[in-house]
Amino acid sequence: MLQFPKDFLWGTATSSYQIEGANKTDGKGPSIWDAFCQIPGKISNNENGDTACDHYHKVVEDVQMMKALNIKAYRFSISWPRILPDGKVTKINEKGIDFYNHLIDTLLKNEITPWVTLYHWDLPLALQLEYDGWTGEKISDLFADYADLCFSRFGDRVKNWITINEPWVVAILGYGQGVFAPGRISNIEPYVAGHQLLLAHAKAVQVFRTKYQPTQGGQIGITNNCDWREPASDSDADKKAATRALEFFLGWFADPIYKGDYPKCMKERLGERLPAFTPEEKTMLLHSSDFFGLNHYTTMYAAEASGNLGKTNTYGNGGMSEDQDVILSSDPKWEYTSMRWAVVPWGCRKLLQWIANRYDNPPIYITENGCSYNDNLENGICADEKRTAFFKGYLTECNAAIQQGVNLKGYFIWSLMDNFEWASGYSKRFGIHYVDFETLERTPKDSARWYAELIANQ
Ligand code: GAL
């Protein structure tokens, strides 16, 4: 059995749009995902999050499920339009606030620490329409106002805050490739949106640090996602390509926070398409995270493309790969999940080491790691041995990273339960609890029992 440091934080994660449902209930306003799901063909089977896991009505039951897992922390997100139907603090939906109070209080009563994400992609639709979403200049101030409201209403009990989940996904999939809300396709807008997301993060942190942290304590950070990029060969060119790919992926959002500006290679390659920070903004961004939130799922090989990207490239058309000029590939001998993401545990260790080296060994929390498989429930049993093997593999490498000095302090499984997996709808199951989407019944998969035992044996 794996042994971790005594104070290691064990958790699971979810997000509002993926589990809450109750989308038009109790005064919630629409989000860009509600609108995006209405467009035929955008979501597998044209599904949507209207009901999802109906977590909105199942808080008590779901917290009991967490309790049985022995987890110490639960990461969830607040739906901005549930508490601010048109995105602005001029109109507060108290019923939405009540819902999160109920969730937070139930968690605390059960000795589970809430980790709260302020933005997990469900932007109020009104702000998309009025300000052009994350490409507008006003959005970072509106986000800071919303964050301020959350700190003031929940900060007496919530001590762990994550401003934004995966700005890379918002920028590239939402504004580059158009496969996530708001569905835009451009090779300019991802960099504009990324810039505003960083400013929004920094402004929210400034509010927290000036108005709340001095009296309430607590910590705040951002969660970035990154795959590992392994050089495809020993050549210098491929090694440089792999580093460049990591800089375009993670450095884009972590460098401004840990080094005060975008990576040099991005500035050189993007020219005017990459907005510049003012000196004041750089100061505001620098050291604006108390911890390094990391979502990690997979690994690919990276090779120098020298302008010959061709069709081999996974992230084609939409700004990213052409700009970094890297050819990505996988090893057919690797295991693959039902998302067709490769299972490469050692990539997780290498990424953790890369972060520790580049950013001066910050405290890291893996705020998501997990896998989807085509699970079946038979006679009340879901024998998901591949998922358990996945966690064993990744946690073994996390453990090795800690032994080597990486300051990894916690790990959240994605996800507590099967849920609405964005453009894939309900077809991809990431949960350690099986959800029957007809009856909404939850059943622990074998991996959930394994996780509960692992935590109990620490
Ligand atoms: C992350 C995201 C989660 C979940 C997961 C699995 O990018 O934050 O919401 O969908 O991927 O795809």
Side-chain angles (χ1 to χ4, degrees):
M1 201 38 108
L2 283 163
Q3 285 299 318
F4 279 76
K6 279 279 161 260
D7 60 350
F8 195 77
L9 192 71
W10 298 98
T12 60
T14 62
S15 87
S16 47
Y17 191 70
Q18 294 179 275
I19 66 161
E20 283 179 5
N23 251 347
K24 299 180 185 85
T25 307
D26 288 345
K28 177 186 169 287
S31 79
I32 54 172
W33 272 93
D34 290 308
F36 192 66
C37 291
Q38 300 293 312
I39 306 171
K42 289 292 182 191
I43 313 293
S44 165
N45 294 321
N46 292 320
E47 287 164 341
N48 60 53
D50 280 359
T51 308
C53 307
D54 200 27
H55 170 69
Y56 189 80
H57 296 110
K58 292 180 184 292
V59 163
V60 173
E61 172 186 337
D62 288 344
V63 174
Q64 281 320 305
M65 188 163 91
M66 295 175 211
K67 186 86 189 149
L69 268 180
N70 298 323
I71 54 170
K72 310 280 177 266
Y74 172 55
R75 174 178 177 234
F76 64 92
S77 76
I78 293 179
S79 159
W80 185 347
R82 190 178 293 289
I83 65 172
L84 299 176
D86 64 8
K88 296 182 193 163
V89 287
T90 39
K91 195 169 113 203
I92 299 172
N93 178 30
E94 292 296 336
K95 287 203 167 145
I97 303 260
D98 291 347
F99 166 70
Y100 292 109
N101 275 331
H102 174 47
L103 171 59
I104 291 163
D105 291 343
T106 312
L107 287 168
L108 292 173
K109 226 185 328 171
N110 286 280
E111 293 169 333
I112 298 169
T113 305
W115 277 62
V116 178
T117 307
L118 292 170
Y119 186 72
H120 202 126
W121 310 350
D122 41 0
L123 187 77
L125 181 62
L127 301 185
Q128 185 68 43
L129 300 176
E130 200 174 338
Y131 299 100
D132 217 11
W134 288 106
T135 57
E137 291 204 337
K138 199 72 185 82
I139 195 79
S140 57
D141 289 323
L142 293 163
F143 178 74
D145 290 347
Y146 156 65
D148 195 342
L149 175 72
C150 293
F151 303 144
S152 82
R153 295 300 190 91
F154 310 122
D156 55 333
R157 288 151 295 149
V158 172
K159 302 297 169 191
N160 302 280
W161 295 98
I162 293 168
T163 52
I164 287 164
N165 180 69
E166 303 190 348
W168 184 93
V169 168
V170 177
I172 293 294
L173 303 190
Y175 289 85
Q177 299 179 3
V179 294
F180 278 14
R184 301 265 272 256
I185 297 175
S186 162
N187 71 354
I188 297 173
E189 286 187 353
Y191 301 109
V192 177
H195 199 73
Q196 294 304 325
L197 284 155
L198 278 163
L199 292 176
H201 155 79
K203 287 181 184 179
V205 171
Q206 200 170 46
V207 170
F208 184 69
R209 290 203 175 146
T210 49
K211 280 178 73 176
Y212 299 96
Q213 209 173 26
T215 48
Q216 292 185 345
Q219 55 175 352
I220 192 163
I222 189 169
T223 274
N224 281 305
N225 60 306
C226 195
D227 303 345
W228 175 244
R229 297 292 181 243
E230 179 73 7
S233 79
D234 277 344
S235 75
D236 261 7
D238 286 351
K239 285 184 189 161
K240 280 191 189 141
T243 301
R244 199 161 69 239
L246 291 164
E247 288 173 345
F248 264 82
F249 205 149
L250 187 57
W252 180 5
F253 296 102
D255 274 24
I257 292 171
Y258 288 87
K259 295 172 180 288
D261 204 355
Y262 291 122
K264 193 160 145 258
C265 76
M266 289 189 75
K267 294 208 253 185
E268 283 169 3
R269 282 169 188 256
L270 296 170
E272 288 190 347
R273 283 190 292 142
L274 186 69
F277 294 114
T278 64
E280 295 74 37
E281 289 169 346
K282 286 183 186 172
T283 310
M284 185 169 64
L285 274 158
L286 191 63
H287 309 309
S288 62
S289 244
D290 296 327
F291 56 84
F292 199 109
L294 175 70
N295 292 353
H296 174 72
Y297 286 92
T298 190
T299 285
M300 290 184 95
Y301 284 116
E304 171 61 46
S306 310
N308 299 313
L309 270 170
K311 289 208 167 65
T312 48
N313 204 41
T314 334
Y315 295 124
N317 92 69
M320 184 72 179
S321 27
E322 296 89 326
D323 294 336
Q324 63 183 17
D325 203 24
V326 173
I327 292 175
L328 299 173
S329 62
S330 310
D331 185 336
K333 292 200 281 301
W334 285 338
E335 277 270 333
Y336 288 84
T337 70
S338 70
M339 294 294 274
R340 284 191 288 279
W341 296 347
V343 181
V344 188
W346 53 259
C348 182
R349 171 176 39 82
K350 290 197 176 191
L351 177 62
L352 288 168
Q353 287 163 335
W354 192 83
I355 292 168
N357 290 337
R358 188 177 179 92
Y359 301 116
D360 207 11
N361 208 11
I364 304 172
Y365 290 88
I366 293 185
T367 43
E368 284 180 31
N369 175 236
C371 50
S372 73
Y373 285 108
N374 298 324
D375 300 312
N376 290 308
L377 189 65
E378 275 165 38
N379 304 322
I381 291 182
C382 177
D384 61 337
E385 52 286 300
K386 282 190 182 162
R387 184 171 290 99
T388 305
F390 177 98
F391 290 130
K392 278 186 189 162
Y394 276 78
L395 280 166
T396 300
E397 297 293 341
C398 287
N399 201 281
I402 296 173
Q403 304 303 323
Q404 288 157 9
V406 171
N407 192 10
L408 178 64
K409 296 177 74 71
Y411 179 90
F412 292 77
I413 279 182
W414 184 270
S415 177
L416 172 67
M417 57 183 147
D418 297 334
N419 57 47
F420 177 76
E421 177 51 33
W422 308 112
S424 308
Y426 296 96
S427 66
K428 302 286 185 244
R429 293 179 175 274
F430 274 90
I432 55 173
H433 289 87
Y434 186 94
V435 177
D436 177 329
F437 289 105
E438 302 277 302
T439 63
L440 297 176
E441 195 185 335
R442 289 95 157 108
T443 309
K445 300 181 189 177
D446 284 356
S447 57
R449 294 186 224 285
W450 173 81
Y451 195 45
E453 203 179 306
L454 173 77
I455 300 172
N457 284 321
Q458 293 302 305

